[in-house]
Every structure is written in C-alpha cells, then in structure tokens.
Amino acid sequence: MAEKTYIDDPEELVEFAATTNHLQLPAAASPIDPLYRSKHHALANASNQVLVTAQGEGVQIYSSTDSKCLRSWTFPPGVRFACPAKYHAKYTDEGALGDSYVYAVLDSGDGIESKECGTVVWRWTDRGIGSVGLEDKIEVKYAGPIFALEPGVTAAGHLLVVHTDGSLLLATQDLEKRHQLACPVPGKAELVWYQPIEVSQSMRSYLDSRQVTDWLDGDSSLVLVLTRVTDTEVDAAYTYYISLYAVDGADASITEVGTTHINPTHLATQPLACAFDADTGTLAVLTEAGVYANFGLVTGISA
C-alpha cells in the first residue's frame, strides 16, 4: 500500500539534488569514500573529498572543507560523459588512502562511433598529488549503454555496471567481466533509478531473516532497481517495476531476489527522484506530477 501527498513545483525541489535522470548532465559530484563502502576496510575513514564530473572540462577532485581543487584530469572538448565518474578508494594496511582508481563512461569523443555511445569505460590510477595525466589507463567497451557505475560493491573491489536497459554486470577492478544478469521484467525495459544498499540487521523486519543472515555472513551487498516498460494498452503510459538484487563477492555473481510491478494508480507519472531507507524498507518517490509516495518493500507482496 502506498502513502501519498502532493507537492507544488516538484521540478524546483529536485533541481539541485540527485535525480533519476543522468542524461546530458552538465556536472555531477560523487563522494570519494561513500560511508556504505567503509566496512570493506576496518581502518578506512570517510573522506572530505568529492569527485566532480564536468562536461567539456573533465574530472576533478575537490576538498569539501575549503572547496579547493586538489587534482584535475582534463579531456578534449569533444568528450562527453554518459554518467558521473566514480572513485574507488584503496587503502594501505595502515588505513591511509593509497593508489586508487577513477572510472568514467564516455558518451562521445574521438574514436567513439555512434553505436558505441555510452558503452566505453575508462579506468585510470590516482596516485595522489603526484598524479600526471591518465596513468595506467584501461579502456573497455561493454555491450549496451551504461546508466551508472558503482565501484567497490564487494570486499574484493568488484565494479557494478548498471545498464540503461535495467541489466547488471559485475566486473573486476580491471574491468574484466565476471557475471551479467538480464533485466527480469517483460518487454523492452528502461532503467529509471537504482540504489546500492548495505546489508544490515534491520532488514530482518521486511526480508527473509535466513537470507539476511547469509548476506551478513558473506561478502554481499544489495541493489534496488526501478525500471519502466511502455504500456501497450494506454498511450504515453508506462508500467513500473521494482527489483532487488544481491551481489556476492565470493562467487562474483548477481542474483535476483525478487521483482514486482507497481500498481499504475500509485505511480501514474515519471519519477523525478527516489530514495530507499534500508532500516525501514521504505521507498520514497517524488513524481513530475508532484505526487510524493512511500512504498513498503515486503517480500511476497506487490506494490
């Protein structure tokens, strides 16, 4: 059951916030060391730095305390990014930030054909202040346009590649493909939003307790994905689906936990922004019509 309220001018509310649409992004910022990843190293500390992706300029690292640019990697003006670049922080045994990786998805640029737009991933090494250019750069082309990247989703440092069609791919830090899972929804799906989730004890209240125990005992993380499919019976309408996946670092695999469609009466227009509260199992959605709705994630029940 969805709980709803209505908000005037929803576009203005999310203008400067993370939304469900990364296409043609002018600029975006990503944390260097997201808190949900810190558990992978006992001595890791949350960073006060952010990675900034700016179209027509390149990728920079800024200090969030004094807004100073610490490092910058420039690209030719013709290079455009398909989504925000991401940073995989790597630590020494003493807990200090060591040589780390930067990942970026290219949407256009020299040598990129139209059919390859959004499929080319670059990875280079950040060696700190002494970095010069795109050191140790690796380039890989994946099948299908990419919506976003999530590095370090496991203790082994796997990279999660989220495609625009809702499919997921798990790769190594060096971009070698390990496992791919197609989108389970019927028809031609389009990804709207996703969120990586750290497994926690509180999930026992709305997910299978034994399954949560297995995830906590292993090297696992979760991903919640919202996709849409064109409604064949209603013009200019979509059917929305929510899927939960488990990423296993030990097996280097992705497993579908469950997928359900959302009743069209609860989500009749395009979502502008979404957020999932892993403690309560609540998905909050703000639509372009100004509808703010909360959905409860419970196994075995449709929205």
Side-chain angles (χ1 to χ4, degrees):
M1 181 66 68
E3 299 178 1
K4 295 182 181 178
T5 188
Y6 294 87
I7 297 175
D8 294 331
D9 300 323
E11 291 87 355
E12 182 178 351
L13 180 64
V14 300
E15 183 176 1
F16 299 105
T19 71
T20 55
N21 186 9
H22 290 322
L23 298 179
Q24 306 301 323
L25 77 158
S30 303
I32 292 294
D33 182 23
L35 291 176
Y36 78 91
R37 276 190 219 124
S38 296
K39 68 169 185 174
H40 295 330
H41 196 292
L43 299 176
N45 296 314
S47 173
N48 65 341
Q49 301 173 9
V50 294
L51 188 72
V52 176
T53 308
Q55 299 285 24
E57 297 182 23
V59 179
Q60 301 95 26
I61 293 180
Y62 278 86
S63 168
S64 59
T65 55
D66 54 16
S67 300
K68 288 184 178 180
C69 181
L70 305 178
R71 287 183 293 290
S72 177
W73 297 275
T74 58
F75 291 76
V79 172
R80 294 192 65 82
F81 303 100
C83 57
K86 292 295 180 68
Y87 195 93
H88 181 198
K90 302 180 70 177
Y91 296 91
T92 65
D93 292 338
E94 292 74 29
L97 188 64
D99 292 351
S100 301
Y101 294 144
V102 184
Y103 297 90
V105 182
L106 277 59
D107 189 58
S108 62
D110 292 340
I112 299 178
E113 301 178 8
S114 57
K115 63 181 180 181
E116 298 174 337
C117 291
T119 67
V120 179
V121 178
W122 283 5
R123 192 215 74 184
W124 64 91
T125 303
D126 173 27
R127 304 190 190 282
I129 297 177
S131 287
V132 179
L134 306 181
E135 298 186 46
D136 306 324
K137 190 190 83 173
I138 297 174
E139 177 180 319
V140 172
K141 294 183 179 70
Y142 291 118
I146 296 170
F147 183 89
L149 300 174
E150 279 297 325
V153 292
T154 67
H158 286 100
L159 173 74
L160 182 67
V161 181
V162 184
H163 288 281
T164 57
D165 64 357
S167 63
L168 302 177
L169 183 148
L170 195 64
T172 66
Q173 300 178 41
D174 298 331
L175 303 179
E176 295 180 4
K177 177 182 173 181
R178 284 293 178 262
H179 186 252
Q180 188 163 13
L181 189 66
C183 181
V185 308
K188 186 177 180 180
E190 179 184 358
L191 192 140
V192 177
W193 166 89
Y194 81 103
Q195 181 176 318
I197 309 166
E198 181 181 349
V199 181
S200 65
Q201 294 283 358
S202 60
M203 292 179 173
R204 298 179 188 277
S205 63
Y206 58 90
L207 294 177
D208 184 277
S209 181
R210 291 171 297 179
Q211 204 165 35
V212 173
T213 298
D214 291 340
W215 292 332
L216 288 169
D217 291 341
D219 177 17
S220 299
S221 61
L222 303 179
V223 185
L224 196 63
V225 174
L226 179 66
T227 52
R228 70 179 187 182
V229 176
T230 301
D231 193 321
T232 57
E233 298 180 358
V234 181
D235 292 338
Y238 296 95
T239 299
Y240 290 88
Y241 293 84
I242 192 75
S243 301
L244 181 66
Y245 301 93
V247 180
D248 190 319
D251 295 336
S253 63
I254 308 171
T255 304
E256 179 196 354
V257 179
T259 295
T260 185
H261 82 284
I262 299 177
N263 192 315
T265 60
H266 299 320
L267 195 58
T269 56
Q270 168 73 11
L272 290 177
C274 306
F276 180 71
D277 185 341
D279 289 332
T280 63
T282 301
L283 173 65
V285 179
L286 175 63
T287 73
E288 60 186 6
V291 178
Y292 176 81
N294 283 325
F295 299 92
L297 182 64
V298 179
T299 53
I301 299 178
S302 297

